[in-house]
Amino acid sequence: MAPARVSQTELDDRKIVGVNLETVTNVTSTDIPGHYPGEDHEWDLEYFKNTFNVKFHKHQPFDASFSLIGLDASIANAFRRILLAEIPTLAIEYVFVHNNTSIVQDDVLSHRLGLIPLTGNPKGIRWLQQYRKPTDEDPEGSGVQDINTIVMRLKVECTKADNYDELNKKGENDPRLLYKHAHVYAKDLEFIVSGRQDTFFSGEANKIKSVHPDILLTKMRPGQCINMEMHCIKGIGADHAKFSPVATASYRLLPTVSIMKPILGNDARKFARCFPKGVIGLEEVSPSEAKEGNGYEGHEGEKKAVVKNTFKDTVSRECLRHPEFEGKVKLGRVRDHFIFMVESTGQYQSDELFLESVSILKEKCASMKRGLASLMR
């Protein structure tokens, strides 16, 4: 049987997930071999190269938004899961408390230290290898080495300011002025270079430090001090959330809004208010439109509702609640248009993170191919 010819309009309609008042329809992908008799939907590399597209919407160091167009949901979701849980990052894992007389208990302060996002020379962080923890089978593990462990120190003591008496006489009550180290911040963490680490982490710009120096760790008063040593290792978000390189990594499908019948006058204004600003616009009915016989006859000069930018829509379905719009509008989402939002915690830039996720997925595919090849021997 000869392959059936399908119009581009019908192919585009198949990609739309219908969003109705109380239901969602057409949620399953149908572009698979054998679903439509006479149509060939076998996956083809050249076709994928020609149809796949990437669009950047926002590109900032730690906040990116981009679209992946022409991709299956399983692949898009794989990227999202890898971003959250499988990209190795550096974080504080072991805290050795030599002295802590602050009001924050040792375990609570250690937990807060572990959640501080760290940054440094990206090449150096990639150079670091993962620390292998001791187990029953391997009691020694990999051991602490310059290639797998970053050492940091927190050594602060609260004392009175040099001009304490003068400030006290003036009635000053701000502890940050009265005392030194009244507040302990993440910027008080000190990086200790060891071995070959000076190749990558020498200098203020490259050294390991907190992404946000003003993270408050604790407060102290004269006589209190903290002396701790911390060991930072590489891990993944699947082990602990502190190793996740993103604050959030999510995607949504591109919304669609189709006006099926004219919406005019006050109804058009009300219709525009049902959507976020910028989704629906108001335009005047032109003389040519008023003569075409498409529902605008006799409405020349009146305001009509037109779709401007569906990217801004949140698909709230507010317009479907009003009876005057029944049968006049269809809402949906494009099944293969994924709008990603990636917010980095600071160790890597957001666009680098996505490339890292692509590399990890490639490694997983290569590993599976090797496994299949070994089974066939």
Side-chain angles (χ1 to χ4, degrees), residues 15-159:
K15 295 180 181 179
I16 303 300
V17 177
V19 179
N20 309 309
L21 180 60
E22 295 181 350
T23 60
V24 179
T25 56
N26 195 28
V27 296
T28 307
S29 297
T30 58
D31 52 347
I32 53 177
H35 188 87
Y36 295 101
E39 296 183 23
D40 182 17
H41 289 284
E42 183 179 356
W43 193 86
D44 181 71
L45 179 60
E46 289 303 318
Y47 177 79
F48 176 77
K49 288 180 179 178
N50 294 330
T51 56
F52 178 68
N53 193 15
V54 179
K55 283 185 181 179
F56 263 93
H57 309 299
K58 181 166 60 173
H59 188 193
Q60 297 175 354
F62 303 134
D63 192 9
S65 177
F66 53 89
S67 288
L68 302 182
I69 306 168
L71 202 63
D72 188 77
S74 60
I75 305 300
N77 196 47
F79 287 138
R80 183 190 67 84
R81 292 173 66 94
I82 291 171
L83 283 166
L84 288 169
E86 296 189 50
I87 297 178
T89 60
L90 187 71
I92 295 172
E93 177 73 357
Y94 298 106
V95 179
F96 302 92
V97 182
H98 302 301
N99 193 11
N100 175 26
T101 57
S102 72
I103 61 171
V104 180
Q105 297 94 330
D106 295 352
D107 53 341
V108 176
L109 184 55
S110 299
H111 184 261
R112 298 185 74 170
L113 289 167
L115 295 176
I116 294 175
L118 302 176
T119 186
N121 186 350
K123 291 182 179 179
I125 294 175
R126 291 189 178 93
W127 168 76
L128 290 171
Q129 298 178 2
Q130 292 206 221
Y131 174 81
R132 193 172 69 254
K133 297 182 179 182
T135 61
D136 294 337
E137 294 77 16
D138 184 13
E140 294 186 2
S142 59
V144 176
Q145 304 175 38
D146 59 353
I147 200 171
N148 62 21
T149 303
I150 294 291
V151 178
M152 303 189 79
R153 182 180 298 149
L154 179 61
K155 191 174 183 180
V156 290
E157 182 178 359
C158 183
T159 58

Side-chain angles (χ1 to χ4, degrees), residues 337-375:
H337 188 138
F338 299 90
I339 304 170
F340 271 80
M341 285 75 71
V342 179
E343 183 181 342
S344 170
T345 56
Q347 195 160 120
Y348 295 102
Q349 294 198 3
S350 52
D351 56 342
E352 292 178 339
L353 285 174
F354 183 73
L355 296 178
E356 288 284 338
S357 71
V358 174
S359 299
I360 290 174
L361 186 59
K362 287 175 65 177
E363 291 173 7
K364 285 174 173 282
C365 294
S367 176
M368 187 179 73
K369 287 178 66 177
R370 290 193 297 269
L372 289 174
S374 65
L375 286 174

Side-chain angles (χ1 to χ4, degrees), residues 92-370:
I92 295 172
E93 177 73 357
Y94 298 106
V95 179
F96 302 92
V97 182
H98 302 301
N99 193 11
N100 175 26
T101 57
S102 72
I103 61 171
V104 180
Q105 297 94 330
D106 295 352
D107 53 341
V108 176
L109 184 55
S110 299
H111 184 261
R112 298 185 74 170
L113 289 167
L115 295 176
I116 294 175
L118 302 176
T119 186
N121 186 350
K123 291 182 179 179
I125 294 175
R126 291 189 178 93
W127 168 76
L128 290 171
Q129 298 178 2
Q130 292 206 221
Y131 174 81
R132 193 172 69 254
K133 297 182 179 182
T135 61
D136 294 337
E137 294 77 16
D138 184 13
E140 294 186 2
S142 59
V144 176
Q145 304 175 38
D146 59 353
I147 200 171
N148 62 21
T149 303
I150 294 291
V151 178
M152 303 189 79
R153 182 180 298 149
L154 179 61
K155 191 174 183 180
V156 290
E157 182 178 359
C158 183
T159 58
K160 293 181 180 180
D162 296 335
N163 57 345
Y164 172 82
D165 293 332
E166 180 183 345
L167 293 172
N168 195 33
K169 288 179 182 178
K170 293 180 179 180
E172 180 63 58
N173 55 13
D174 188 347
R176 291 171 296 182
L177 300 176
L178 292 170
Y179 314 118
K180 296 178 182 179
H181 294 300
H183 291 183
V184 181
Y185 295 100
K187 61 186 176 185
D188 295 317
L189 296 176
E190 180 186 1
F191 168 54
I192 309 298
V193 181
S194 61
R196 294 164 287 176
Q197 294 175 1
D198 59 353
T199 307
F200 298 98
F201 302 117
S202 60
E204 184 65 28
N206 294 324
K207 73 175 186 179
I208 299 296
K209 55 186 179 294
S210 172
V211 175
H212 308 289
D214 294 328
I215 295 176
L216 181 64
L217 300 178
T218 185
K219 298 179 180 180
M220 298 195 300
R221 291 297 179 264
Q224 294 179 329
C225 65
I226 296 175
N227 185 7
M228 294 178 167
E229 183 177 297
M230 292 142 284
H231 288 186
C232 314
I233 65 172
K234 292 181 76 173
I236 58 175
D239 296 332
H240 194 286
K242 67 183 177 184
F243 290 115
S244 181
V246 294
T248 180
S250 62
Y251 63 77
R252 63 189 178 99
L253 298 179
L254 178 70
T256 63
V257 181
S258 301
I259 298 177
M260 313 305 295
K261 296 179 182 178
I263 302 176
L264 301 164
N266 290 331
D267 283 351
R269 296 180 181 88
K270 181 178 180 179
F271 185 72
R273 291 195 297 270
C274 292
F275 295 84
K277 189 176 181 180
V279 177
I280 302 296
L282 299 176
E283 296 180 358
E284 289 187 357
V285 178
S286 65
S288 59
E289 289 176 324
K291 298 176 182 178
E292 288 178 355
N294 52 11
Y296 293 116
E297 300 88 346
H299 296 285
E300 181 180 342
E302 287 190 40
K303 295 292 185 181
K304 64 175 181 177
V306 294
V307 179
K308 288 290 187 181
N309 186 2
T310 59
F311 181 87
K312 298 179 179 180
D313 190 23
T314 57
V315 195
S316 67
R317 299 192 257 198
E318 172 65 20
C319 63
L320 301 180
R321 294 177 56 248
H322 302 281
E324 57 264 45
F325 304 133
E326 188 175 352
K328 293 184 178 181
V329 60
K330 281 186 177 181
L331 304 180
R333 290 184 181 271
V334 182
R335 184 184 291 110
D336 65 347
H337 188 138
F338 299 90
I339 304 170
F340 271 80
M341 285 75 71
V342 179
E343 183 181 342
S344 170
T345 56
Q347 195 160 120
Y348 295 102
Q349 294 198 3
S350 52
D351 56 342
E352 292 178 339
L353 285 174
F354 183 73
L355 296 178
E356 288 284 338
S357 71
V358 174
S359 299
I360 290 174
L361 186 59
K362 287 175 65 177
E363 291 173 7
K364 285 174 173 282
C365 294
S367 176
M368 187 179 73
K369 287 178 66 177
R370 290 193 297 269

